[in-house]
Amino acid sequence: MTTSTPTPVPIPSPAHPQRTRVRRATRLAVAFTIACTVSACARLATVDSNALWKIVDIRCVPSQQATGTPGQCTTVNLGKRYVILKDIVGRSQHLLIPTDRITGIESPLILAPHAQDYWVDAWDARRYVEGSVKRTLPDDQLGLEINSQYRRSQNQLHIHIDCMRREVSLALARHANDTPGEWRWETIDGRRYRIMRVTSLDEASNPFRIVARDNEDAEAMAAQTILVTGAGPSADTDGWLILNSGIDVDNGSGSAEGLMDHACRVADAP
């Protein structure tokens, strides 16, 4: 899990960066060195990278199986093989975590033929965010996010579920009517993201599968970050926006979590 300090969102730029795949290992190593400051590396080194997995496997699932209660988790879905956990960071942030051992975005298991559609389940779980702030929010003010392997502290796949920063939602509004299935590039917070509008989050439109189309191996996927938010107030009618960047993208990022607001200030608006 990572946290990012919100910064102003500049006016989006339509320029198209070149996604370079040559000498990937060198670029990833350099990017990680730059991204990981001395203090950040020290902090990550002291974190138990299996903490989330231990909560799921030792506390939540056994409790659900034995007593019908989710233990430390908010809910445990044994049939769909995931839990929802309230994160210790933030007012309303929750996490979707598989009950199977899946390390993260780089795992081939998320692309297996019968893999669970975790993004669908995570989107359905946005109600827990709304429950935390005690109000219903438009879908374009809610988001889901997963960090790259190089910008996470936990080695168990987890999707962040929380509010979006208001200024980010406003910047993304220009994509509300984009043709579904086409990538468009934007600069947000000084980082390059490609953005695709989709009309569902399952099967071929599963964000993992979409991003994997041109990131065909585990090494390439390990560098990616994905964020999903409503393309408009009602995703059922407006669709969703998938944002993707990576540390292998010129001026890209391995984490889109900073586009979210773990203080959920949008919930305080009149």
Side-chain angles (χ1 to χ4, degrees):
M1 296 173 287
T2 63
T3 57
S4 303
T5 302
T7 54
V9 177
I11 297 174
S13 166
H16 293 259
Q18 297 297 317
R19 295 176 61 88
T20 305
R21 301 298 178 193
V22 180
R23 302 168 69 182
R24 181 187 302 277
T26 300
R27 293 199 60 183
L28 295 186
V30 172
F32 180 69
T33 301
I34 294 171
C36 190
T37 64
V38 173
S39 60
C41 287
R43 184 167 61 253
L44 289 176
T46 63
V47 171
D48 179 358
S49 62
N50 291 314
L52 284 183
W53 173 244
K54 290 175 181 176
I55 291 172
V56 172
D57 193 51
I58 297 175
R59 300 182 183 180
C60 298
V61 170
S63 177
Q64 186 71 35
Q65 291 171 330
T67 69
T69 59
Q72 187 174 341
C73 291
T74 301
T75 187
V76 175
N77 191 318
L78 296 175
K80 291 189 173 182
R81 309 188 69 79
Y82 71 84
V83 308
I84 302 296
L85 175 70
K86 173 64 179 71
D87 199 299
I88 60 173
V89 175
R91 168 187 184 186
S92 52
Q93 181 182 195
H94 286 70
L95 305 174
L96 179 143
I97 311 168
T99 59
D100 296 308
R101 193 67 163 116
I102 302 175
T103 55
I105 193 169
E106 74 283 0
S107 174
L109 295 176
I110 63 175
L111 301 173
H114 302 293
Q116 179 65 29
D117 285 319
Y118 293 120
W119 293 97
V120 173
D121 299 324
W123 185 255
D124 289 343
R126 70 195 187 283
R127 66 183 183 275
Y128 297 111
V129 173
E130 295 175 322
S132 293
V133 298
K134 297 180 172 57
R135 66 177 295 180
T136 301
L137 295 169
D139 286 344
D140 54 359
Q141 293 182 0
L142 293 161
L144 316 174
E145 190 268 355
I146 188 168
N147 292 311
S148 72
Q149 179 179 344
Y150 304 98
R151 291 293 304 276
R152 70 180 190 229
S153 63
Q154 292 294 302
N155 288 326
Q156 173 65 11
L157 187 145
H158 55 287
I159 296 176
H160 299 259
I161 311 165
D162 210 350
C163 302
M164 295 290 293
R165 288 166 49 197
R166 181 186 301 277
E167 62 268 34
V168 172
S169 296
L170 291 173
L172 292 174
R174 63 183 289 172
H175 294 281
N177 296 311
D178 283 359
T179 301
E182 297 181 0
W183 287 117
R184 297 175 182 268
W185 285 94
E186 296 283 7
T187 296
I188 302 177
D189 268 0
R191 298 294 184 180
R192 299 297 285 164
Y193 292 89
R194 57 179 184 170
I195 302 169
M196 179 187 291
R197 180 170 165 257
V198 295
T199 56
S200 71
L201 295 176
D202 60 359
E203 299 181 351
S205 293
N206 180 320
F208 287 138
R209 299 190 187 281
I210 287 177
V211 172
R213 289 174 189 169
D214 54 1
N215 293 279
E216 297 178 353
D217 55 37
E219 182 182 7
M221 285 296 287
Q224 307 303 308
T225 182
I226 302 173
L227 182 142
V228 172
T229 186
S234 173
D236 286 340
T237 56
D238 301 317
W240 292 262
L241 297 178
I242 298 174
L243 281 69
N244 169 227
S245 188
I247 63 174
D248 59 341
V249 174
D250 291 337
N251 209 26
S253 175
S255 174
E257 191 178 348
L259 305 183
M260 306 175 89
D261 177 15
H262 295 321
C264 196
R265 295 174 182 87
V266 294
D268 298 327

